Amino acid sequence: MITSEKIINYISKNSQATGKELTDYLGISDRGTRKQLKRLTEKNILQKIGKPPKVYYLLASERKSREVIRLNKNALKIINKRYLYITPTGEAKEGWDGFLAWCEKTKQNPIKTSTQYIAALKKFDKFRKNNLINGMPKMKNTFKNVYLDKLFYLDFYSIERFGKTKLGQTLLYAKQSQNRHLIRKLIDQIRLDILKVIKKEHVNGVLFVPPTVKREIQFMKELEKQLRLPVRNLSVAKIKTEIMVPQKTLSRLEDRIENAKKTIIVEEKSEYENILLIDDAVGSGATMNETGKQIKNRRLAKRNIVGLAITGSFKVVL
């Protein structure tokens, strides 16, 4: 009997097992056991629950095994790469495992829904070029005067019907949970793309848009510190007011513009060739545009002001 079959039979008899338990049973190295468990989990034959040091392996549900066999291999590859579901109890389920959990939660047929999900991704991906989404059409449709020369998103925050993207989910919970491990994981995912933008746009100055919500661990501060970008950071201040009003709580565009205009102050005096503004997310775009306006009015950028958001949004007709 091959090793993988021994693992499946053991778990079938005992309901669940730890990696150490299986290593002892199989009489092989810990590394060999982990390799087998990784392969079986990726094939959705096993499912993993818990976090180190308490991690258990169970047989995947009968429905899960049956559905994955019916799923198109290319669709499975895309979903495994791009889907993330955070359960109500705070468990992160990636790929097909997460997609199936979401479908079960929302009472949808996973095979039919996976086809619709792939089709939705393709329509949203039409706005993507060189792994970046052009956000300038949104700015030009929203503001009479646009003070950015370019605006890019690394991904959409969410897509219609299917909700937050994998990056959108990670960003939301990294900020809300103030979890440094999750923040570091997100930064590792986006660092290379940010460096590519800096190189392509010949950026020599970066401004990190300051946060508006008071937290013990500020995501934007952690982003600035951990990215360690090879360019100089511009000096910017967030004015403290009696009551901090987050941009996302303001429904009127005029209020968002006023909020950004009167609470974010660019203090920098040096001149740069091209300046990159980095923000976690672009909703209305008011913060980016008003910050760009200050830079433009003070002639801090000789050439371009480029905006870059981890996630952004604009209307896509499906």
PDB file of all heavy atoms in Angstrom, residues 25-47:
ATOM      1  N   TYR A  25       3.168   6.780  12.859  1.00  0.00           N
ATOM      2  CA  TYR A  25       2.469   5.626  12.285  1.00  0.00           C
ATOM      3  C   TYR A  25       3.161   5.127  11.013  1.00  0.00           C
ATOM      4  O   TYR A  25       3.346   3.918  10.818  1.00  0.00           O
ATOM      5  CB  TYR A  25       1.018   6.012  11.977  1.00  0.00           C
ATOM      6  CG  TYR A  25       0.287   5.037  11.082  1.00  0.00           C
ATOM      7  CD1 TYR A  25      -0.072   3.765  11.531  1.00  0.00           C
ATOM      8  CD2 TYR A  25      -0.051   5.395   9.766  1.00  0.00           C
ATOM      9  CE1 TYR A  25      -0.738   2.877  10.709  1.00  0.00           C
ATOM     10  CE2 TYR A  25      -0.719   4.522   8.936  1.00  0.00           C
ATOM     11  CZ  TYR A  25      -1.060   3.260   9.406  1.00  0.00           C
ATOM     12  OH  TYR A  25      -1.710   2.378   8.585  1.00  0.00           O
ATOM     13  N   LEU A  26       3.581   6.055  10.170  1.00  0.00           N
ATOM     14  CA  LEU A  26       4.170   5.687   8.882  1.00  0.00           C
ATOM     15  C   LEU A  26       5.623   5.242   9.009  1.00  0.00           C
ATOM     16  O   LEU A  26       6.135   4.499   8.163  1.00  0.00           O
ATOM     17  CB  LEU A  26       4.084   6.873   7.905  1.00  0.00           C
ATOM     18  CG  LEU A  26       2.678   7.321   7.502  1.00  0.00           C
ATOM     19  CD1 LEU A  26       2.739   8.669   6.793  1.00  0.00           C
ATOM     20  CD2 LEU A  26       2.019   6.271   6.612  1.00  0.00           C
ATOM     21  N   GLY A  27       6.304   5.744  10.043  1.00  0.00           N
ATOM     22  CA  GLY A  27       7.694   5.411  10.219  1.00  0.00           C
ATOM     23  C   GLY A  27       8.603   6.068   9.201  1.00  0.00           C
ATOM     24  O   GLY A  27       9.640   5.505   8.817  1.00  0.00           O
ATOM     25  N   ILE A  28       8.219   7.272   8.757  1.00  0.00           N
ATOM     26  CA  ILE A  28       9.037   8.026   7.809  1.00  0.00           C
ATOM     27  C   ILE A  28       9.416   9.361   8.435  1.00  0.00           C
ATOM     28  O   ILE A  28       9.009   9.675   9.553  1.00  0.00           O
ATOM     29  CB  ILE A  28       8.305   8.251   6.465  1.00  0.00           C
ATOM     30  CG1 ILE A  28       7.029   9.079   6.674  1.00  0.00           C
ATOM     31  CG2 ILE A  28       7.976   6.916   5.804  1.00  0.00           C
ATOM     32  CD1 ILE A  28       6.305   9.428   5.380  1.00  0.00           C
ATOM     33  N   SER A  29      10.187  10.170   7.708  1.00  0.00           N
ATOM     34  CA  SER A  29      10.621  11.458   8.244  1.00  0.00           C
ATOM     35  C   SER A  29       9.461  12.445   8.325  1.00  0.00           C
ATOM     36  O   SER A  29       8.459  12.304   7.608  1.00  0.00           O
ATOM     37  CB  SER A  29      11.724  12.048   7.361  1.00  0.00           C
ATOM     38  OG  SER A  29      11.206  12.417   6.096  1.00  0.00           O
ATOM     39  N   ASP A  30       9.627  13.423   9.203  1.00  0.00           N
ATOM     40  CA  ASP A  30       8.614  14.479   9.331  1.00  0.00           C
ATOM     41  C   ASP A  30       8.441  15.215   8.002  1.00  0.00           C
ATOM     42  O   ASP A  30       7.320  15.537   7.599  1.00  0.00           O
ATOM     43  CB  ASP A  30       9.045  15.463  10.424  1.00  0.00           C
ATOM     44  CG  ASP A  30       8.080  16.617  10.568  1.00  0.00           C
ATOM     45  OD1 ASP A  30       6.917  16.380  10.911  1.00  0.00           O
ATOM     46  OD2 ASP A  30       8.500  17.773  10.323  1.00  0.00           O
ATOM     47  N   ARG A  31       9.554  15.453   7.315  1.00  0.00           N
ATOM     48  CA  ARG A  31       9.504  16.137   6.020  1.00  0.00           C
ATOM     49  C   ARG A  31       8.711  15.328   5.002  1.00  0.00           C
ATOM     50  O   ARG A  31       7.916  15.865   4.230  1.00  0.00           O
ATOM     51  CB  ARG A  31      10.926  16.365   5.513  1.00  0.00           C
ATOM     52  CG  ARG A  31      10.997  17.122   4.198  1.00  0.00           C
ATOM     53  CD  ARG A  31      12.434  17.328   3.772  1.00  0.00           C
ATOM     54  NE  ARG A  31      12.509  18.032   2.500  1.00  0.00           N
ATOM     55  CZ  ARG A  31      13.637  18.288   1.852  1.00  0.00           C
ATOM     56  NH1 ARG A  31      14.803  17.892   2.373  1.00  0.00           N
ATOM     57  NH2 ARG A  31      13.627  18.928   0.705  1.00  0.00           N
ATOM     58  N   GLY A  32       8.921  13.998   5.005  1.00  0.00           N
ATOM     59  CA  GLY A  32       8.190  13.130   4.068  1.00  0.00           C
ATOM     60  C   GLY A  32       6.694  13.151   4.329  1.00  0.00           C
ATOM     61  O   GLY A  32       5.883  13.171   3.398  1.00  0.00           O
ATOM     62  N   THR A  33       6.323  13.171   5.614  1.00  0.00           N
ATOM     63  CA  THR A  33       4.901  13.218   5.975  1.00  0.00           C
ATOM     64  C   THR A  33       4.277  14.537   5.530  1.00  0.00           C
ATOM     65  O   THR A  33       3.178  14.564   4.960  1.00  0.00           O
ATOM     66  CB  THR A  33       4.733  13.057   7.501  1.00  0.00           C
ATOM     67  OG1 THR A  33       5.312  11.829   7.911  1.00  0.00           O
ATOM     68  CG2 THR A  33       3.249  13.060   7.873  1.00  0.00           C
ATOM     69  N   ARG A  34       4.977  15.643   5.805  1.00  0.00           N
ATOM     70  CA  ARG A  34       4.461  16.964   5.431  1.00  0.00           C
ATOM     71  C   ARG A  34       4.273  17.071   3.911  1.00  0.00           C
ATOM     72  O   ARG A  34       3.329  17.700   3.434  1.00  0.00           O
ATOM     73  CB  ARG A  34       5.391  18.068   5.936  1.00  0.00           C
ATOM     74  CG  ARG A  34       5.216  18.347   7.435  1.00  0.00           C
ATOM     75  CD  ARG A  34       5.968  19.568   7.910  1.00  0.00           C
ATOM     76  NE  ARG A  34       7.387  19.287   8.132  1.00  0.00           N
ATOM     77  CZ  ARG A  34       8.359  19.752   7.384  1.00  0.00           C
ATOM     78  NH1 ARG A  34       8.091  20.530   6.345  1.00  0.00           N
ATOM     79  NH2 ARG A  34       9.624  19.456   7.650  1.00  0.00           N
ATOM     80  N   LYS A  35       5.185  16.471   3.156  1.00  0.00           N
ATOM     81  CA  LYS A  35       5.097  16.497   1.697  1.00  0.00           C
ATOM     82  C   LYS A  35       3.847  15.757   1.223  1.00  0.00           C
ATOM     83  O   LYS A  35       3.119  16.226   0.341  1.00  0.00           O
ATOM     84  CB  LYS A  35       6.350  15.851   1.108  1.00  0.00           C
ATOM     85  CG  LYS A  35       6.472  15.977  -0.398  1.00  0.00           C
ATOM     86  CD  LYS A  35       7.800  15.413  -0.879  1.00  0.00           C
ATOM     87  CE  LYS A  35       7.919  15.533  -2.404  1.00  0.00           C
ATOM     88  NZ  LYS A  35       9.207  14.967  -2.885  1.00  0.00           N
ATOM     89  N   GLN A  36       3.586  14.614   1.830  1.00  0.00           N
ATOM     90  CA  GLN A  36       2.395  13.837   1.472  1.00  0.00           C
ATOM     91  C   GLN A  36       1.113  14.587   1.851  1.00  0.00           C
ATOM     92  O   GLN A  36       0.145  14.635   1.086  1.00  0.00           O
ATOM     93  CB  GLN A  36       2.424  12.479   2.188  1.00  0.00           C
ATOM     94  CG  GLN A  36       3.480  11.514   1.688  1.00  0.00           C
ATOM     95  CD  GLN A  36       3.134  10.927   0.330  1.00  0.00           C
ATOM     96  OE1 GLN A  36       1.972  10.910  -0.074  1.00  0.00           O
ATOM     97  NE2 GLN A  36       4.150  10.458  -0.393  1.00  0.00           N
ATOM     98  N   LEU A  37       1.100  15.186   3.049  1.00  0.00           N
ATOM     99  CA  LEU A  37      -0.084  15.913   3.517  1.00  0.00           C
ATOM    100  C   LEU A  37      -0.360  17.137   2.650  1.00  0.00           C
ATOM    101  O   LEU A  37      -1.522  17.450   2.353  1.00  0.00           O
ATOM    102  CB  LEU A  37       0.110  16.336   4.976  1.00  0.00           C
ATOM    103  CG  LEU A  37       0.089  15.200   6.006  1.00  0.00           C
ATOM    104  CD1 LEU A  37       0.500  15.705   7.379  1.00  0.00           C
ATOM    105  CD2 LEU A  37      -1.288  14.549   6.052  1.00  0.00           C
ATOM    106  N   LYS A  38       0.689  17.812   2.234  1.00  0.00           N
ATOM    107  CA  LYS A  38       0.532  18.983   1.363  1.00  0.00           C
ATOM    108  C   LYS A  38      -0.112  18.574   0.040  1.00  0.00           C
ATOM    109  O   LYS A  38      -1.033  19.235  -0.452  1.00  0.00           O
ATOM    110  CB  LYS A  38       1.885  19.637   1.106  1.00  0.00           C
ATOM    111  CG  LYS A  38       1.833  20.927   0.278  1.00  0.00           C
ATOM    112  CD  LYS A  38       3.226  21.552   0.209  1.00  0.00           C
ATOM    113  CE  LYS A  38       3.192  22.907  -0.519  1.00  0.00           C
ATOM    114  NZ  LYS A  38       2.869  22.760  -1.947  1.00  0.00           N
ATOM    115  N   ARG A  39       0.369  17.475  -0.533  1.00  0.00           N
ATOM    116  CA  ARG A  39      -0.167  17.003  -1.810  1.00  0.00           C
ATOM    117  C   ARG A  39      -1.635  16.591  -1.683  1.00  0.00           C
ATOM    118  O   ARG A  39      -2.466  16.939  -2.525  1.00  0.00           O
ATOM    119  CB  ARG A  39       0.665  15.818  -2.311  1.00  0.00           C
ATOM    120  CG  ARG A  39       0.260  15.336  -3.702  1.00  0.00           C
ATOM    121  CD  ARG A  39       1.087  14.150  -4.162  1.00  0.00           C
ATOM    122  NE  ARG A  39       2.490  14.510  -4.315  1.00  0.00           N
ATOM    123  CZ  ARG A  39       3.475  13.990  -3.610  1.00  0.00           C
ATOM    124  NH1 ARG A  39       3.221  13.085  -2.661  1.00  0.00           N
ATOM    125  NH2 ARG A  39       4.727  14.353  -3.814  1.00  0.00           N
ATOM    126  N   LEU A  40      -1.969  15.878  -0.631  1.00  0.00           N
ATOM    127  CA  LEU A  40      -3.347  15.425  -0.431  1.00  0.00           C
ATOM    128  C   LEU A  40      -4.294  16.588  -0.141  1.00  0.00           C
ATOM    129  O   LEU A  40      -5.454  16.581  -0.541  1.00  0.00           O
ATOM    130  CB  LEU A  40      -3.400  14.405   0.714  1.00  0.00           C
ATOM    131  CG  LEU A  40      -2.756  13.040   0.416  1.00  0.00           C
ATOM    132  CD1 LEU A  40      -2.647  12.214   1.687  1.00  0.00           C
ATOM    133  CD2 LEU A  40      -3.541  12.292  -0.657  1.00  0.00           C
ATOM    134  N   THR A  41      -3.780  17.612   0.558  1.00  0.00           N
ATOM    135  CA  THR A  41      -4.596  18.798   0.843  1.00  0.00           C
ATOM    136  C   THR A  41      -4.847  19.596  -0.423  1.00  0.00           C
ATOM    137  O   THR A  41      -5.968  20.071  -0.668  1.00  0.00           O
ATOM    138  CB  THR A  41      -3.907  19.692   1.901  1.00  0.00           C
ATOM    139  OG1 THR A  41      -3.649  18.933   3.072  1.00  0.00           O
ATOM    140  CG2 THR A  41      -4.782  20.891   2.256  1.00  0.00           C
ATOM    141  N   GLU A  42      -3.811  19.762  -1.247  1.00  0.00           N
ATOM    142  CA  GLU A  42      -3.954  20.498  -2.509  1.00  0.00           C
ATOM    143  C   GLU A  42      -4.925  19.802  -3.453  1.00  0.00           C
ATOM    144  O   GLU A  42      -5.599  20.456  -4.260  1.00  0.00           O
ATOM    145  CB  GLU A  42      -2.592  20.660  -3.181  1.00  0.00           C
ATOM    146  CG  GLU A  42      -1.682  21.657  -2.472  1.00  0.00           C
ATOM    147  CD  GLU A  42      -0.290  21.715  -3.075  1.00  0.00           C
ATOM    148  OE1 GLU A  42       0.062  20.807  -3.859  1.00  0.00           O
ATOM    149  OE2 GLU A  42       0.452  22.676  -2.746  1.00  0.00           O
ATOM    150  N   LYS A  43      -5.009  18.489  -3.375  1.00  0.00           N
ATOM    151  CA  LYS A  43      -5.937  17.726  -4.229  1.00  0.00           C
ATOM    152  C   LYS A  43      -7.335  17.681  -3.621  1.00  0.00           C
ATOM    153  O   LYS A  43      -8.236  17.047  -4.162  1.00  0.00           O
ATOM    154  CB  LYS A  43      -5.414  16.301  -4.423  1.00  0.00           C
ATOM    155  CG  LYS A  43      -4.187  16.207  -5.318  1.00  0.00           C
ATOM    156  CD  LYS A  43      -3.777  14.744  -5.502  1.00  0.00           C
ATOM    157  CE  LYS A  43      -2.597  14.636  -6.460  1.00  0.00           C
ATOM    158  NZ  LYS A  43      -2.179  13.214  -6.647  1.00  0.00           N
ATOM    159  N   ASN A  44      -7.505  18.332  -2.453  1.00  0.00           N
ATOM    160  CA  ASN A  44      -8.795  18.378  -1.754  1.00  0.00           C
ATOM    161  C   ASN A  44      -9.267  17.002  -1.311  1.00  0.00           C
ATOM    162  O   ASN A  44     -10.467  16.746  -1.207  1.00  0.00           O
ATOM    163  CB  ASN A  44      -9.860  19.056  -2.625  1.00  0.00           C
ATOM    164  CG  ASN A  44      -9.662  20.547  -2.723  1.00  0.00           C
ATOM    165  OD1 ASN A  44      -9.872  21.274  -1.762  1.00  0.00           O
ATOM    166  ND2 ASN A  44      -9.219  20.999  -3.886  1.00  0.00           N
ATOM    167  N   ILE A  45      -8.314  16.094  -1.047  1.00  0.00           N
ATOM    168  CA  ILE A  45      -8.638  14.791  -0.476  1.00  0.00           C
ATOM    169  C   ILE A  45      -8.670  14.916   1.041  1.00  0.00           C
ATOM    170  O   ILE A  45      -9.493  14.305   1.716  1.00  0.00           O
ATOM    171  CB  ILE A  45      -7.608  13.734  -0.930  1.00  0.00           C
ATOM    172  CG1 ILE A  45      -7.694  13.536  -2.445  1.00  0.00           C
ATOM    173  CG2 ILE A  45      -7.841  12.404  -0.202  1.00  0.00           C
ATOM    174  CD1 ILE A  45      -6.599  12.684  -3.031  1.00  0.00           C
ATOM    175  N   LEU A  46      -7.778  15.761   1.567  1.00  0.00           N
ATOM    176  CA  LEU A  46      -7.762  16.065   2.993  1.00  0.00           C
ATOM    177  C   LEU A  46      -8.055  17.542   3.204  1.00  0.00           C
ATOM    178  O   LEU A  46      -7.840  18.353   2.317  1.00  0.00           O
ATOM    179  CB  LEU A  46      -6.393  15.745   3.603  1.00  0.00           C
ATOM    180  CG  LEU A  46      -5.886  14.311   3.583  1.00  0.00           C
ATOM    181  CD1 LEU A  46      -4.538  14.226   4.270  1.00  0.00           C
ATOM    182  CD2 LEU A  46      -6.879  13.353   4.220  1.00  0.00           C
ATOM    183  N   GLN A  47      -8.531  17.862   4.386  1.00  0.00           N
ATOM    184  CA  GLN A  47      -8.661  19.263   4.776  1.00  0.00           C
ATOM    185  C   GLN A  47      -7.935  19.469   6.099  1.00  0.00           C
ATOM    186  O   GLN A  47      -7.872  18.561   6.930  1.00  0.00           O
ATOM    187  CB  GLN A  47     -10.128  19.687   4.883  1.00  0.00           C
ATOM    188  CG  GLN A  47     -10.963  18.895   5.866  1.00  0.00           C
ATOM    189  CD  GLN A  47     -12.383  19.422   5.939  1.00  0.00           C
ATOM    190  OE1 GLN A  47     -12.608  20.627   5.938  1.00  0.00           O
ATOM    191  NE2 GLN A  47     -13.356  18.532   6.001  1.00  0.00           N
TER     192      GLN A  47
END
